[in-house]
Every structure is written in structure tokens, then in C-alpha cells.
Amino acid sequence: MPRYDFRCRDCGDFDGFHPLATVPDAVACPTCAQPARRRPGGGALLHGGTTAMRLLDSTARTASEPAVVAAPPPGARRPVSRNPLHRKLPRN
Ligand SMILES: [Zn+2]
């Protein structure tokens, strides 16, 4: 759920989490219950530097810049398949 910034005239800024389809233009301030307007800008889905954000960044990077390897890592075993049809596949 995206995070949106809201500003209360008296209390200042605070965050609110709302679904994309139902994000309100104003919410009640959690401190004084006055109407607080949503600040301009899109909702932030994730905070930078989190584990989830690092995972998304590395996943996006492998899609555009896949790591190329010349050989399997040392000590890696060949995958073994028990499917008899795989024995008919060409070997390199
Ligand atoms: Zn307030």
C-alpha cells in the first residue's frame, strides 16, 4: 500500500497509507483531528535502502544487465533430471 504525505496546518506533516484507488485528498490529523490535506506528489511504494528495495533494484538490474558467466561455479554439480525424455536432449 503506498505511503502518502499529509500536512496539518497546526501539527505539521505525517504519513498515511492508503490503497491507490481510494486515496483521499484529506484525512483527519492523528494529533488534533483537524482536516489535513494530502501533499502533492505520488505515493511512495517503498522506502529506499530497505531489503525489499535492494531486491527490486538487483532484479531490475539483472533484467537489463544480466551477469554473463563462462562456466558454472567451481564445485557445482550438474543438475540431475529423472525425466527419461531429458536423456534424448543433445549434449554439449
Ligand atoms: Zn493536527
Side-chain angles (χ1 to χ4, degrees):
M1 202 172 330
R3 175 183 57 82
Y4 292 94
D5 296 329
F6 293 89
R7 176 170 286 169
C8 173
R9 271 191 207 167
D10 299 332
C11 306
D13 297 343
F14 62 92
D15 298 335
F17 294 88
H18 300 276
L20 282 172
T22 61
V23 59
D25 289 334
V27 297
C29 173
T31 306
C32 67
Q34 298 274 342
R37 292 192 54 84
R38 180 164 48 100
R39 297 185 62 200
L45 291 174
L46 296 170
H47 296 279
T50 62
T51 303
M53 193 63 168
R54 285 194 299 273
L55 175 63
L56 287 174
D57 286 345
S58 66
T59 303
R61 190 169 36 252
T62 57
S64 62
E65 305 165 16
V68 178
V69 295
R77 295 176 22 181
R78 291 183 69 136
V80 177
S81 172
R82 297 184 195 282
N83 187 334
L85 296 175
H86 290 169
R87 293 187 195 122
K88 297 180 182 178
L89 293 173
R91 306 273 179 206
N92 54 356

